Amino acid sequence: MSNGELYTLLTNKAASGQKGSIVGIFKGVERFNIISLIKEHINEKLRNQVEEITLDLSPTMNAIAKSCFRKASRVADRFHVQRLAYDAVQQERIKYRWEAIDQDNWEIKTARENGTDYSPEILPNGDSIKQLLARSRYLLFKSPEKWTASQKQRAELLFERYPEIHKAYYLAIGLKYAYNHDCSKQVGWLKLAHWVEKVRLSGFKSFNTIADTFYNYYDNISNFFNN
């Protein structure tokens, strides 16, 4: 429907997907234009009744929410925070996949030059190394208890051969578990801070970027535990 264009959506969660769920749809993400339109069509008295705004980690969206809904608490959507961690895991997987593709191409070329048949290594589950890395994409988004039998076997093979992916995966899962607590804002942030410390010690550059994001968006992220 969007034809690849960006839109900013303002929705009302209390409407539960029924009439009144969509408050506004604005083409683009230019903050001054969107702020102007929201203020033009929704009077200040109504906007000041809004208690909480859930948004992503975009500074543009944060500026819009701050300007238009001055009395509302701004909450970084857990989905967007966790997605950063899962993207970091996928970055590790993709790095090794390209290395496997390069290795595979080199072995094919060498076999051809030597006049021999090329036979790739086949793992116990029937995957080649390239297939193992390609087919592991979806299981790395899931918790271990949700893996199917074949995904569990694939994960064991993947983690045995690529311990760095194993390490990155359990960092991402650790963030999920840090969120899964019904606790106060102070305790919730403490759990997230412990996770960030593990990230600092891990040595993953991509995860360190996430740690910086936590500190830059401390208020929005920690506000998740208010409700």
Side-chain angles (χ1 to χ4, degrees), residues 51-84:
E51 297 176 359
E52 188 174 82
I53 293 279
T54 306
L55 62 159
D56 61 18
L57 296 170
S58 160
T60 299
M61 296 301 109
N62 192 61
I64 293 170
K66 185 177 181 179
S67 177
C68 294
F69 304 95
R70 294 183 297 108
K71 295 187 177 182
S73 170
R74 296 186 302 280
V75 181
D77 185 0
R78 170 180 173 172
F79 166 79
H80 289 94
V81 178
Q82 288 189 208
R83 188 173 67 178
L84 289 176

Short mmCIF file of all heavy atoms in Angstrom, two decimals, residues 51-84:
data_model
loop_
_atom_site.label_atom_id
_atom_site.label_comp_id
_atom_site.label_asym_id
_atom_site.label_seq_id
_atom_site.Cartn_x
_atom_site.Cartn_y
_atom_site.Cartn_z
N GLU A 51 -1.56 10.06 28.25
CA GLU A 51 -0.67 9.74 29.37
C GLU A 51 0.61 9.04 28.95
O GLU A 51 1.63 9.12 29.64
CB GLU A 51 -1.42 8.86 30.38
CG GLU A 51 -2.64 9.56 31.00
CD GLU A 51 -3.42 8.64 31.92
OE1 GLU A 51 -3.02 7.45 32.04
OE2 GLU A 51 -4.41 9.09 32.50
N GLU A 52 0.55 8.31 27.83
CA GLU A 52 1.71 7.52 27.45
C GLU A 52 1.78 7.39 25.92
O GLU A 52 0.77 7.19 25.27
CB GLU A 52 1.63 6.12 28.08
CG GLU A 52 2.87 5.28 27.92
CD GLU A 52 2.77 3.97 28.69
OE1 GLU A 52 2.15 3.02 28.16
OE2 GLU A 52 3.28 3.89 29.82
N ILE A 53 3.00 7.54 25.39
CA ILE A 53 3.24 7.37 23.96
C ILE A 53 4.29 6.28 23.78
O ILE A 53 5.36 6.32 24.39
CB ILE A 53 3.78 8.68 23.32
CG1 ILE A 53 2.73 9.77 23.34
CG2 ILE A 53 4.27 8.42 21.90
CD1 ILE A 53 1.71 9.70 22.24
N THR A 54 3.98 5.27 22.97
CA THR A 54 4.94 4.24 22.65
C THR A 54 5.51 4.52 21.27
O THR A 54 4.75 4.80 20.33
CB THR A 54 4.28 2.84 22.65
OG1 THR A 54 3.63 2.64 23.90
CG2 THR A 54 5.30 1.76 22.44
N LEU A 55 6.83 4.47 21.14
CA LEU A 55 7.46 4.83 19.87
C LEU A 55 8.75 4.05 19.68
O LEU A 55 9.17 3.30 20.56
CB LEU A 55 7.75 6.33 19.84
CG LEU A 55 8.71 6.92 20.88
CD1 LEU A 55 9.27 8.25 20.39
CD2 LEU A 55 8.03 7.16 22.22
N ASP A 56 9.34 4.22 18.49
CA ASP A 56 10.61 3.54 18.23
C ASP A 56 11.77 4.38 18.74
O ASP A 56 11.56 5.33 19.49
CB ASP A 56 10.75 3.21 16.73
CG ASP A 56 10.75 4.46 15.86
OD1 ASP A 56 10.98 5.57 16.38
OD2 ASP A 56 10.54 4.32 14.64
N LEU A 57 12.97 4.07 18.31
CA LEU A 57 14.16 4.76 18.81
C LEU A 57 14.59 5.90 17.89
O LEU A 57 15.73 6.37 17.97
CB LEU A 57 15.30 3.76 18.98
CG LEU A 57 15.05 2.67 20.02
CD1 LEU A 57 16.12 1.59 19.95
CD2 LEU A 57 15.00 3.27 21.42
N SER A 58 13.68 6.35 17.04
CA SER A 58 13.99 7.44 16.13
C SER A 58 13.96 8.78 16.86
O SER A 58 12.99 9.10 17.55
CB SER A 58 12.97 7.47 14.98
OG SER A 58 12.94 8.72 14.36
N PRO A 59 15.00 9.60 16.71
CA PRO A 59 14.99 10.93 17.33
C PRO A 59 13.88 11.81 16.77
O PRO A 59 13.35 12.67 17.46
CB PRO A 59 16.37 11.49 17.02
CG PRO A 59 16.89 10.67 15.88
CD PRO A 59 16.28 9.32 16.03
N THR A 60 13.50 11.56 15.51
CA THR A 60 12.41 12.32 14.90
C THR A 60 11.09 12.03 15.59
O THR A 60 10.33 12.94 15.95
CB THR A 60 12.29 11.98 13.40
OG1 THR A 60 13.52 12.33 12.74
CG2 THR A 60 11.15 12.75 12.76
N MET A 61 10.80 10.73 15.80
CA MET A 61 9.55 10.36 16.46
C MET A 61 9.53 10.86 17.90
O MET A 61 8.50 11.27 18.42
CB MET A 61 9.37 8.83 16.45
CG MET A 61 9.20 8.21 15.07
SD MET A 61 7.78 8.85 14.16
CE MET A 61 8.61 9.81 12.89
N ASN A 62 10.68 10.83 18.54
CA ASN A 62 10.78 11.32 19.92
C ASN A 62 10.47 12.82 19.98
O ASN A 62 9.76 13.28 20.88
CB ASN A 62 12.18 11.05 20.47
CG ASN A 62 12.27 11.25 21.96
OD1 ASN A 62 11.59 10.58 22.74
ND2 ASN A 62 13.09 12.19 22.38
N ALA A 63 10.99 13.57 19.02
CA ALA A 63 10.75 15.02 18.98
C ALA A 63 9.28 15.32 18.73
O ALA A 63 8.71 16.25 19.32
CB ALA A 63 11.62 15.65 17.89
N ILE A 64 8.64 14.53 17.86
CA ILE A 64 7.21 14.73 17.57
C ILE A 64 6.38 14.46 18.82
O ILE A 64 5.50 15.25 19.19
CB ILE A 64 6.77 13.80 16.42
CG1 ILE A 64 7.44 14.22 15.10
CG2 ILE A 64 5.24 13.83 16.26
CD1 ILE A 64 7.26 13.23 13.97
N ALA A 65 6.65 13.34 19.48
CA ALA A 65 5.90 12.98 20.68
C ALA A 65 6.10 14.01 21.79
O ALA A 65 5.15 14.40 22.48
CB ALA A 65 6.32 11.59 21.17
N LYS A 66 7.33 14.46 21.95
CA LYS A 66 7.65 15.43 23.00
C LYS A 66 6.95 16.76 22.77
O LYS A 66 6.44 17.39 23.70
CB LYS A 66 9.16 15.63 23.06
CG LYS A 66 9.63 16.55 24.19
CD LYS A 66 11.15 16.63 24.21
CE LYS A 66 11.63 17.52 25.35
NZ LYS A 66 13.12 17.60 25.38
N SER A 67 6.88 17.18 21.52
CA SER A 67 6.28 18.47 21.19
C SER A 67 4.76 18.43 21.24
O SER A 67 4.13 19.37 21.73
CB SER A 67 6.74 18.92 19.81
OG SER A 67 6.13 20.13 19.44
N CYS A 68 4.17 17.35 20.75
CA CYS A 68 2.71 17.29 20.61
C CYS A 68 2.00 16.78 21.86
O CYS A 68 0.85 17.14 22.11
CB CYS A 68 2.34 16.40 19.42
SG CYS A 68 2.86 17.07 17.83
N PHE A 69 2.67 15.93 22.62
CA PHE A 69 2.03 15.33 23.79
C PHE A 69 2.93 15.58 25.00
O PHE A 69 3.59 14.67 25.52
CB PHE A 69 1.79 13.84 23.55
CG PHE A 69 0.98 13.56 22.30
CD1 PHE A 69 1.62 13.27 21.10
CD2 PHE A 69 -0.40 13.65 22.32
CE1 PHE A 69 0.88 13.03 19.96
CE2 PHE A 69 -1.14 13.41 21.18
CZ PHE A 69 -0.50 13.11 19.98
N ARG A 70 2.96 16.81 25.44
CA ARG A 70 3.94 17.27 26.43
C ARG A 70 3.80 16.61 27.79
O ARG A 70 4.75 16.51 28.54
CB ARG A 70 3.83 18.80 26.57
CG ARG A 70 4.25 19.57 25.31
CD ARG A 70 4.21 21.06 25.48
NE ARG A 70 2.86 21.56 25.74
CZ ARG A 70 2.44 22.03 26.89
NH1 ARG A 70 3.25 22.06 27.93
NH2 ARG A 70 1.21 22.46 27.04
N LYS A 71 2.59 16.15 28.13
CA LYS A 71 2.37 15.57 29.45
C LYS A 71 2.46 14.04 29.44
O LYS A 71 2.24 13.39 30.47
CB LYS A 71 1.02 16.02 29.99
CG LYS A 71 0.95 17.52 30.24
CD LYS A 71 -0.33 17.92 30.94
CE LYS A 71 -0.36 19.42 31.24
NZ LYS A 71 -1.58 19.82 31.97
N ALA A 72 2.74 13.47 28.27
CA ALA A 72 2.76 12.01 28.15
C ALA A 72 4.16 11.46 28.42
O ALA A 72 5.17 12.06 28.06
CB ALA A 72 2.32 11.59 26.76
N SER A 73 4.21 10.29 29.07
CA SER A 73 5.45 9.56 29.24
C SER A 73 5.79 8.89 27.91
O SER A 73 4.93 8.30 27.26
CB SER A 73 5.27 8.51 30.34
OG SER A 73 6.37 7.63 30.37
N ARG A 74 7.05 8.99 27.49
CA ARG A 74 7.46 8.38 26.22
C ARG A 74 8.16 7.05 26.50
O ARG A 74 9.10 6.98 27.30
CB ARG A 74 8.39 9.33 25.45
CG ARG A 74 7.70 10.61 25.04
CD ARG A 74 8.58 11.49 24.16
NE ARG A 74 9.84 11.86 24.79
CZ ARG A 74 9.97 12.83 25.68
NH1 ARG A 74 8.90 13.54 26.07
NH2 ARG A 74 11.15 13.12 26.21
N VAL A 75 7.69 6.00 25.83
CA VAL A 75 8.19 4.64 26.08
C VAL A 75 8.77 4.06 24.80
O VAL A 75 8.09 3.99 23.77
CB VAL A 75 7.06 3.72 26.58
CG1 VAL A 75 7.60 2.32 26.86
CG2 VAL A 75 6.40 4.30 27.82
N ALA A 76 10.03 3.64 24.84
CA ALA A 76 10.64 2.95 23.71
C ALA A 76 10.02 1.57 23.58
O ALA A 76 10.04 0.78 24.53
CB ALA A 76 12.15 2.84 23.90
N ASP A 77 9.45 1.29 22.43
CA ASP A 77 8.81 0.01 22.19
C ASP A 77 9.81 -1.13 22.35
O ASP A 77 10.88 -1.13 21.74
CB ASP A 77 8.24 0.00 20.76
CG ASP A 77 7.45 -1.25 20.44
OD1 ASP A 77 7.33 -2.12 21.31
OD2 ASP A 77 6.96 -1.35 19.30
N ARG A 78 9.48 -2.09 23.19
CA ARG A 78 10.36 -3.22 23.45
C ARG A 78 10.77 -3.93 22.16
O ARG A 78 11.90 -4.39 22.02
CB ARG A 78 9.64 -4.19 24.40
CG ARG A 78 10.33 -5.53 24.57
CD ARG A 78 9.56 -6.42 25.51
NE ARG A 78 10.13 -7.75 25.56
CZ ARG A 78 9.75 -8.71 26.41
NH1 ARG A 78 8.80 -8.45 27.29
NH2 ARG A 78 10.31 -9.88 26.40
N PHE A 79 9.84 -4.04 21.21
CA PHE A 79 10.13 -4.72 19.95
C PHE A 79 11.34 -4.10 19.25
O PHE A 79 12.23 -4.80 18.77
CB PHE A 79 8.91 -4.64 19.03
CG PHE A 79 9.19 -5.01 17.60
CD1 PHE A 79 9.30 -6.34 17.22
CD2 PHE A 79 9.39 -4.03 16.64
CE1 PHE A 79 9.58 -6.69 15.90
CE2 PHE A 79 9.67 -4.36 15.32
CZ PHE A 79 9.77 -5.69 14.95
N HIS A 80 11.39 -2.77 19.20
CA HIS A 80 12.47 -2.09 18.49
C HIS A 80 13.81 -2.24 19.23
O HIS A 80 14.86 -2.32 18.60
CB HIS A 80 12.14 -0.61 18.31
CG HIS A 80 11.05 -0.37 17.32
ND1 HIS A 80 9.73 -0.25 17.68
CD2 HIS A 80 11.09 -0.26 15.97
CE1 HIS A 80 9.00 -0.06 16.60
NE2 HIS A 80 9.79 -0.06 15.55
N VAL A 81 13.75 -2.27 20.55
CA VAL A 81 14.98 -2.46 21.33
C VAL A 81 15.52 -3.87 21.12
O VAL A 81 16.71 -4.07 20.84
CB VAL A 81 14.72 -2.21 22.83
CG1 VAL A 81 16.00 -2.45 23.64
CG2 VAL A 81 14.23 -0.78 23.05
N GLN A 82 14.65 -4.87 21.23
CA GLN A 82 15.09 -6.26 21.06
C GLN A 82 15.53 -6.54 19.64
O GLN A 82 16.43 -7.36 19.40
CB GLN A 82 13.97 -7.22 21.47
CG GLN A 82 13.75 -7.27 22.96
CD GLN A 82 12.78 -8.37 23.37
OE1 GLN A 82 12.12 -8.26 24.38
NE2 GLN A 82 12.69 -9.43 22.61
N ARG A 83 14.92 -5.88 18.67
CA ARG A 83 15.28 -6.11 17.28
C ARG A 83 16.74 -5.72 17.02
O ARG A 83 17.42 -6.35 16.21
CB ARG A 83 14.36 -5.33 16.34
CG ARG A 83 14.57 -5.69 14.87
CD ARG A 83 13.55 -5.04 13.98
NE ARG A 83 13.73 -3.59 13.95
CZ ARG A 83 12.99 -2.77 13.20
NH1 ARG A 83 12.01 -3.26 12.46
NH2 ARG A 83 13.21 -1.47 13.22
N LEU A 84 17.23 -4.70 17.72
CA LEU A 84 18.63 -4.32 17.58
C LEU A 84 19.54 -5.50 17.94
O LEU A 84 20.55 -5.76 17.28
CB LEU A 84 18.95 -3.12 18.48
CG LEU A 84 18.37 -1.76 18.09
CD1 LEU A 84 18.71 -0.74 19.16
CD2 LEU A 84 18.91 -1.31 16.74
#
